[in-house]
Amino acid sequence: MRNRLNIKSIIKVLGYLVAMEAFIMLIPLAVCLFYGEDDWASFAVASVFSSGVSFPVILITRKSRTVIRAKEGFVITALIWVVYGLFGTIPFMLCSSPINFTDAMFETISGFTTTGVSAIVDVEAQSHGILLWRALTQWIGGLGIILFLLAMLPEMNKSDGLSMFNAETSGITHDKLHPRIRQTALSLWAIYVVVTIVSVVLLWIGPMNLFDSVCQSFSAIATGGFSTRNDGISYWHSRYVMAVLIIVMTVGGVNFMVLYAAWKKGIRQIVNNEVTRIFICSIVVSYFLFVISSILRGEESSVDNYLFLPLFHVVSAITSTGFSISEAEGWGPFALFLTIMLMLSGSCAGSTAGGIKIDRLIVIGRNLLNEIKKTVYPRRTYVINLNGSFLQNSLISRVSAFVTLYIIIVLISTGIITMYGYSFSDSLFMVSSCMGCNGLGYGATGIEGSYAYLPVSVKWLLSLNMLIGRLELFTFMVLLLPSFWRK
């Protein structure tokens, strides 16, 4: 009986989470009223419906003891992204420019997983409320829905909260900032909010209005990529906007635990962090590779072609933000190859970014080097050090399994999509983009195409890729084991 799932606790926590989503929907509702838009009614219906489902659940389970172990943590963390997606579709289906259920689910999952691929062809035709709702889904999903719950509810300030924190947080290890898990969640959200506010102010100073500044900032710090304009960031034709977003996206790609340490102890905490240094070096090296490629292609020499455009694209790709620029599709095969590599790589564990994560790639690289050394010196003992800590063999095996499984899922998904007649490069790009929670488009999903035009079954497959990528595989895959559900 000890291994039996505590269904009441799972339902109770899900009830709280849906109630929070109902409350969040009141924000775009208020924005619709402010701009005099009729879409306030769609958010009112969505909020009332969500409340009607969640509040009875909370009342019925309020006296039951909350027991969240690792098992319950996995189930809640996996289910909530789907549940939030289902309730989040309502405004998209009831608004003045409605989309069907598949596209609404695709859009909502893309938002909460901070992927940023869109099934809406003309975003400028949408109301301010819908555009803000898209941005809010990314902002909430950036640090994680569960982390938002832990920050809001004091009763989760115990081992129950820790189980969910570990299930949702990305990375190799899960470190806490404070003994109390709620304090950790509050600290991370404090940093997140501060960076968001700074970004809004900086963009507002430039050519953006306040509304665009808020939405673009939500997307940038969450490394999401939804924009309020059909042309994306290119709409503003501003180097200033690109410079601000490059900085914000880079911050979003850094482990928030490291950002907190820098806040408390100084900027040297960032410089001294090995993974962060390699992350920055990866950006610099990739940038120069793009520049070299531009020179070899005979690209016209200009500040945009040799500085802003390639640097913006590199940061957007490696941080999985997915803000796109129209020029990127004309950069040739090498740019396509490097972009896919950056999307698969991702940024630092503990950031808002997707992908495999640089931490894991460092471990894989060092383990590979050790295996080569063992061929020459088989009797020697080799260890792997990451940020001053020695990793156990079990952890190294877990990282190797993660990367292997990640690549296998990408290849299988790519193979399935090619069966629909899409080219290998287009299929690999859209799968890598969705698995890495990136959002960039190319070819069939690029300038001349759109994710909106994909077959229904492909959209559902890519939605599954987004969820698997955001949950970092094991949290999702463990639910497929028959032994997990045994008493």
Side-chain angles (χ1 to χ4, degrees):
M1 295 294 289
R2 290 180 61 188
N3 293 324
R4 192 173 184 177
L5 276 173
N6 192 315
I7 303 297
K8 281 189 177 180
S9 293
I10 293 173
I11 294 174
K12 181 179 181 180
V13 173
L14 289 176
Y16 278 120
L17 284 163
V18 173
M20 286 168 46
E21 185 176 20
F23 177 78
I24 294 169
M25 288 177 180
L26 297 179
I27 301 173
L29 185 154
V31 168
C32 285
L33 291 175
F34 177 81
Y35 283 99
E37 297 167 335
D38 294 335
D39 280 351
W40 70 267
S42 64
F43 287 103
V45 171
S47 183
V48 169
F49 181 73
S50 302
S51 300
V53 172
S54 60
F55 287 147
V57 170
I58 294 172
L59 289 174
I60 292 170
T61 60
R62 71 186 188 281
K63 293 183 179 180
S64 63
R65 181 171 172 264
T66 308
V67 179
I68 306 295
R69 300 159 301 178
K71 268 192 170 185
E72 287 81 7
F74 283 128
V75 174
I76 291 170
T77 304
L79 280 180
I80 193 55
W81 298 92
V82 178
V83 171
Y84 259 46
L86 287 170
F87 285 100
T89 61
I90 299 174
F92 290 115
M93 293 190 293
L94 298 181
C95 66
S96 54
S97 300
I99 54 180
N100 60 50
F101 174 70
T102 295
D103 287 349
M105 192 66 176
F106 185 85
E107 195 79 12
T108 311
I109 293 295
S110 177
F112 281 118
T113 60
T114 72
T115 304
V117 294
S118 181
I120 299 176
V121 178
D122 186 3
V123 296
E124 292 182 27
Q126 299 294 325
S127 66
H128 288 81
I130 290 293
L131 294 179
L132 182 62
W133 176 235
R134 293 168 82 238
L136 268 173
T137 58
Q138 294 200 321
W139 193 72
I140 295 296
L143 276 186
I145 299 169
I146 298 296
L147 199 64
F148 191 69
L149 171 75
L150 297 177
M152 295 296 104
L153 294 184
E155 73 173 270
M156 294 298 168
N157 188 21
K158 44 192 173 184
S159 59
D160 301 344
L162 183 59
S163 296
M164 293 187 291
F165 176 80
N166 288 337
E168 183 180 59
T169 307
S170 67
I172 299 175
T173 58
H174 302 114
D175 301 320
K176 290 195 302 175
L177 301 176
H178 306 282
R180 299 169 69 83
I181 190 66
R182 182 168 180 259
Q183 192 59 43
T184 295
L186 286 171
S187 297
L188 294 178
W189 272 100
I191 298 170
Y192 196 59
V193 170
V194 168
V195 176
T196 303
I197 292 173
V198 171
S199 176
V200 170
V201 172
L202 290 176
L203 291 175
W204 194 16
I205 291 173
M208 289 189 190
N209 59 41
L210 178 58
F211 180 80
D212 285 336
S213 300
V214 169
C215 291
Q216 259 62 222
S217 293
F218 280 3
S219 291
I221 189 58
T223 60
F226 277 155
S227 179
T228 53
R229 303 293 175 177
N230 292 330
D231 294 333
I233 303 305
S234 300
Y235 172 85
W236 287 277
H237 302 288
S238 170
R239 294 172 182 173
Y240 173 79
V241 167
M242 296 182 79
V244 171
L245 291 178
I246 285 171
I247 295 171
V248 178
M249 288 189 292
T250 303
V251 171
V254 176
N255 189 328
F256 272 72
M257 301 286 192
V258 176
L259 293 177
Y260 180 83
W263 185 10
K264 288 293 185 181
K265 301 177 183 178
I267 196 69
R268 289 194 63 84
Q269 296 297 315
I270 295 178
V271 177
N272 293 337
N273 186 271
E274 181 183 19
V275 176
T276 306
R277 291 200 306 270
I278 294 176
F279 166 55
I280 300 300
C281 287
S282 299
I283 292 175
V284 173
V285 170
S286 300
Y287 161 71
F288 279 113
L289 288 174
F290 269 105
V291 171
I292 292 171
S293 176
S294 297
I295 294 173
L296 294 177
R297 291 196 319 272
E299 197 79 41
E300 179 185 351
S301 177
S302 68
V303 175
D304 284 337
N305 288 339
Y306 286 173
L307 177 59
F308 283 99
L309 293 179
L311 183 57
F312 184 88
H313 182 73
V314 166
V315 174
S316 180
I318 197 172
T319 61
S320 80
T321 308
F323 279 139
S324 59
I325 49 176
S326 57
E327 294 83 355
E329 281 205 46
W331 289 349
F334 175 76
L336 173 62
F337 164 77
L338 188 54
T339 300
I340 292 175
M341 291 299 101
L342 291 172
M343 289 195 302
L344 291 174
S345 165
S347 302
C348 308
S351 68
T352 60
I356 293 172
K357 301 293 190 303
I358 286 177
D359 310 56
R360 293 191 179 96
L361 296 179
I362 294 171
V363 172
I364 290 293
R366 289 177 178 174
N367 189 45
L368 176 62
L369 182 60
N370 284 350
E371 292 300 320
I372 295 173
K373 290 178 180 178
K374 286 179 184 178
T375 305
V376 183
Y377 308 105
R379 294 185 179 181
R380 291 186 181 180
T381 301
Y382 298 93
V383 296
I384 294 179
N385 184 300
L386 186 66
N387 276 327
S389 300
F390 294 106
L391 303 184
Q392 297 179 354
N393 289 333
S394 60
L395 199 55
I396 297 169
S397 297
R398 181 180 175 86
V399 170
S400 300
F402 179 96
V403 175
T404 302
L405 184 58
Y406 194 99
I407 299 301
I408 288 173
I409 293 175
V410 167
L411 292 177
I412 290 175
S413 300
T414 300
I416 292 173
I417 293 177
T418 58
M419 295 172 67
Y420 288 82
Y422 293 99
S423 68
F424 176 75
S425 58
D426 283 2
S427 302
L428 177 60
F429 196 97
M430 65 177 80
V431 170
S432 299
S433 184
C434 290
M435 270 290 289
C437 299
N438 193 288
L440 288 174
Y442 173 82
T445 55
I447 301 172
E448 301 299 326
S450 171
Y451 284 90
Y453 303 138
L454 297 176
V456 170
S457 51
V458 172
K459 289 177 184 175
W460 283 107
L461 173 60
L462 293 177
S463 296
L464 181 61
N465 287 144
M466 293 181 225
L467 288 170
I468 293 174
R470 180 58 180 84
L471 291 171
E472 296 224 311
L473 300 185
F474 289 134
T475 301
F476 177 84
M477 301 301 290
V478 72
L479 302 181
L480 303 181
L481 293 175
S483 58
F484 178 84
W485 301 100
R486 291 183 191 137
K487 296 180 182 179

